[in-house]
Amino acid sequence: MGVNDDLLASAKKVLDTNDKGNYTIPAHGLYPHQWLWDSCFIAIGQRHFDVERAKIEILSLLRGQWKNGMLPHIIFTPGKKAAMHEGHWQSWLSPLSPDDVSTSGITQPPMLAEAVVRIGETLPLTERRSWYGQVWPNLLAYHEWMYRERDPHGEGLALQIHPWETGMDNTPGWMELLGEHLLPWWIRLLARLHIDGIISWFRSDTRYVPAQERLSNIEALALYDTQLRLRRKAYDTDKILDHSLFAVEDLAFNCILIRANTHLRQIALSIRKDLPEDLYKRMELAEKTLEELWDPYTEQYYSRDFITHRLLKQPSVATLLPLYAGTISEERAKLLVKMLENEHIFGTAYPIPSAPRNSTWFNPICYWQGPSWVNINWLVIDGLKRYGFDEHAAALRDSTLEMISKSDCYEYFNPMTGNGLGTKNFSWTAALAIDLLAKEK
Ligand code: GLC
C-alpha cells in the first residue's frame, strides 16, 4: 500500500469511529455532539465512499433547525453530558427552538450550501435535482433568517454575536475586542489577582488536551460570560443588539456566506425556483460590501465591529478567505497570494497558520492563534483554484496531506513542524483528507 492508501484507510477509520449512525461527532471525549460546520465538512468527505450516508449527515443537521430558520451550531447527543451542556444553553427559553431536539442557541459558518452542492456533484442529474428539492426549504429558510435577523440595517453583511459563531473561537480580532472593554468586573479581578487558575478545575477541554494548546482561562471565561448574556435574552437577536456592545461582521463567516449565496443561486436555477426579491438584492449587496472590509494601508481584509464600523485590525488567516468567496478582483487576489507565499506571514513549512507569523498574537500551538487547520486550508485551496492559482493550490494540498500523513488526523497542527495538536481522530481532518486525496487522481 502507498502512503496515500494508508492515509485513506486511517481517515476512513476515524470517520467510522466517530459515526453515531445518522451523524458524526467531531471527536470522542472533547466533542460528543453534532456540530454544524463540522458535519458539512464531514459530508464532503463521506460523499466519495457513501453518498447516501453523506446525505443523512446533512439531513441530521436540518432536524435542529429553529422555527425562524436558524441552524444551531450544536445538536446535543442525548446522554449524561447532554444534560450538562443543555443546562448551559437552556435554548428552551426561546419559543423558536425545536420541540423535540435539543440544541445550542447560536449558529456557525454557513457551509451548508457547499456541502449540498458537493453531494449533488456526485449524483446523476435527476437524483441531484431531487436532492436539491429535498433540502431547498431548509436551505432557503436559513439564508433568509441570516439576512432578516443578522443584517438588521440592510448592509449586506451578517453579524455574529459570539466568537463560537465564527468557528474560530479565540481568533485575535475578536479576542482583542472582548478584552478591550467587554470583560465584566469579576473576570477582570480574577485576571488582576492572577487567580484565574482556579477556573482550570471547571474546564473540560483541558482534561483532554494540554492547556497551552487551548484558550487561556480568561478567554474561556469571557466566552462563557458572553454566552450567559445571550441566554439572558433568550437568544433573541433584537433584544441582544438592544443591550450589547458586542457584535461583529466576521470576515471568515461572511466570505463563506457569499460563496453559499452563489451556490444557492445555482441550486435555485437547477430546480427552477425563484429566490425572493429581497434576498436576491441582499446577496448582491453582500459582494459589494465585502470590499468595505479591505484596508488599503495594510492591504488586507479584516472583520468589522458592527456597532462602530471600525475594522478589527488584528490579522488572521481569515484575510485569505475572500479567495474562497470568489467575488474579489484578480488584483486583490494576487495581493493575498503574495501573503500566502511570504514565509514571514503565511508561508510557513506547514501552512496556513491561523494567525500570521509576524503577528504579536502568533503562537504555533495555541488553537486559532497560530496552528494550521485543515478546513481552512481546504477553503483556501478551493479559492486558489477558482482564481487560476493552480500551482499554489496543488502545493497547499500536498503540504496539507503531508502534514496529516506525518502526524495523523489531529484537530490542528503546528505550522512550523507539522506536529499534531488538539484532539486526536478529528473528523473534519479525516473527511477533508479523503476529499483532497480524491482530487489527486
Ligand atoms: C471547536 C472549533 C469549532 C468546531 C468545534 C467542534 O470549538 O473551534 O470550529 O466546530 O470545535 O469541532
Side-chain angles (χ1 to χ4, degrees):
M1 278 212 322
V3 180
N4 287 349
D5 294 332
D6 287 347
L7 177 55
L8 190 62
S10 70
K12 279 193 182 156
K13 208 165 137 208
V14 169
L15 291 185
D16 247 21
T17 312
N18 295 339
D19 193 340
K20 289 286 208 185
N22 292 337
Y23 64 92
T24 312
I25 57 173
H28 282 277
L30 193 52
Y31 304 120
H33 309 296
Q34 184 178 24
W35 264 261
L36 174 53
W37 77 331
D38 295 65
S39 273
C40 295
F41 291 121
I42 290 164
I44 288 171
Q46 284 170 333
R47 73 191 167 125
H48 293 290
F49 57 91
D50 189 349
V51 69
E52 288 308 314
R53 179 62 186 78
K55 285 185 187 170
I56 291 170
E57 187 78 24
I58 295 303
L59 296 175
S60 293
L61 276 179
L62 305 184
R63 79 203 147 106
Q65 190 158 37
W66 283 33
K67 294 176 186 108
N68 57 357
M70 184 189 78
L71 285 172
H73 95 300
I74 306 176
I75 302 176
F76 298 111
T77 299
K80 246 200 316 192
K81 278 194 179 160
M84 187 180 80
H85 294 146
E86 283 164 11
H88 280 163
W89 283 98
Q90 299 182 12
S91 57
W92 58 78
L93 293 172
S94 167
L96 301 168
S97 62
D99 297 324
D100 47 351
V101 191
S102 177
T103 77
S104 69
I106 57 171
T107 193
Q108 243 189 351
M111 284 300 300
L112 182 66
E114 179 77 79
V116 164
V117 165
R118 297 289 172 147
I119 290 173
E121 274 173 10
T122 62
L123 298 167
L125 190 58
T126 32
E127 276 180 48
R128 183 185 311 160
R129 287 201 176 127
S130 94
W131 164 240
Y132 287 170
Q134 189 178 358
V135 293
W136 174 256
N138 305 74
L139 191 55
L140 180 63
Y142 184 41
H143 281 243
E144 287 197 287
W145 165 78
M146 193 80 74
Y147 284 108
R148 190 177 60 242
E149 292 210 5
R150 293 306 188 83
D151 182 20
H153 302 160
E155 295 172 346
L157 293 176
L159 64 89
Q160 288 70 54
I161 50 180
H162 195 292
W164 286 330
E165 289 203 314
T166 73
M168 300 162 89
D169 308 11
N170 66 341
T171 190
W174 279 80
M175 285 305 107
E176 189 174 78
L177 186 64
L178 253 182
E180 263 174 16
H181 53 93
L182 293 162
L183 290 183
W185 66 268
W186 58 276
I187 301 186
R188 285 179 194 277
L189 188 67
L190 287 176
R192 204 165 323 126
L193 299 177
H194 301 289
I195 51 170
D196 50 294
I198 46 170
I199 301 308
S200 312
W201 288 93
F202 303 101
R203 286 183 65 174
S204 58
D205 59 341
T206 46
R207 245 172 262 155
Y208 298 101
V209 172
Q212 62 283 18
E213 295 175 16
R214 306 294 291 182
L215 312 130
S216 69
N217 283 330
I218 294 299
E219 285 173 347
L221 275 177
L223 298 198
Y224 177 62
D225 174 67
T226 310
Q227 184 200 338
L228 290 186
R229 289 192 232 175
L230 304 180
R231 189 172 90 187
R232 269 184 240 127
K233 302 282 172 270
Y235 308 102
D236 178 317
T237 312
D238 283 347
K239 286 191 193 144
I240 290 164
L241 292 179
D242 261 4
H243 289 82
S244 167
L245 291 173
F246 192 47
V248 172
E249 292 159 332
D250 183 74
L251 173 60
F253 191 107
N254 278 282
C255 288
I256 291 172
L257 179 57
I258 288 172
R259 182 72 188 139
N261 289 339
T262 307
H263 286 315
L264 192 73
R265 279 191 287 251
Q266 216 184 46
I267 295 171
L269 264 179
S270 152
I271 54 173
R272 313 276 187 277
K273 297 274 186 199
D274 287 326
L275 282 172
E277 182 75 15
D278 190 49
L279 178 64
Y280 197 85
K281 281 196 188 133
R282 216 68 86 81
M283 284 165 36
E284 275 192 326
L285 185 62
E287 299 179 11
K288 287 197 198 98
T289 317
L290 179 63
E291 294 312 317
E292 292 179 18
L293 304 185
W294 174 259
D295 173 48
Y297 306 104
T298 53
E299 298 201 312
Q300 57 177 305
Y301 290 93
Y302 297 101
S303 298
R304 182 167 84 174
D305 185 323
F306 168 72
I307 320 259
T308 62
H309 269 200
R310 182 170 62 101
L311 292 181
L312 306 180
K313 288 200 198 173
Q314 288 305 329
S316 81
V317 68
T319 196
L320 301 179
L321 291 181
L323 290 166
Y324 174 71
T327 55
I328 61 170
S329 67
E330 305 229 329
E331 191 192 340
R332 289 210 172 146
K334 272 189 202 142
L335 289 171
L336 297 182
V337 170
K338 282 220 171 88
M339 294 175 79
L340 182 60
E341 286 169 341
N342 188 326
E343 59 179 308
H344 304 295
I345 308 180
F346 291 118
T348 52
Y350 293 92
I352 311 167
S354 41
R357 265 188 89 178
N358 58 358
S359 150
T360 50
W361 287 82
F362 178 72
N363 173 347
I365 62 166
C366 184
Y367 215 29
W368 291 96
Q369 296 177 356
S372 298
W373 288 76
V374 170
N375 64 332
I376 300 296
N377 286 11
W378 187 91
L379 296 171
V380 174
I381 291 168
D382 186 71
L384 286 168
K385 277 204 240 155
R386 275 184 285 114
Y387 276 93
F389 294 102
D390 290 346
E391 280 177 23
H392 290 78
L396 184 55
R397 186 193 59 206
D398 291 350
S399 65
T400 305
L401 287 172
E402 193 192 318
M403 180 169 85
I404 309 170
S405 290
K406 167 181 146 93
S407 299
D408 240 326
C409 292
Y410 270 85
E411 188 181 4
Y412 40 99
F413 298 84
N414 184 322
M416 320 301 284
T417 61
N419 290 343
L421 299 163
T423 190
K424 270 187 187 166
N425 297 330
F426 190 66
S427 293
W428 83 38
T429 301
L432 296 176
I434 293 170
D435 190 63
L436 292 175
L437 284 168
K439 282 177 193 147
E440 265 193 344
K441 282 179 199 151

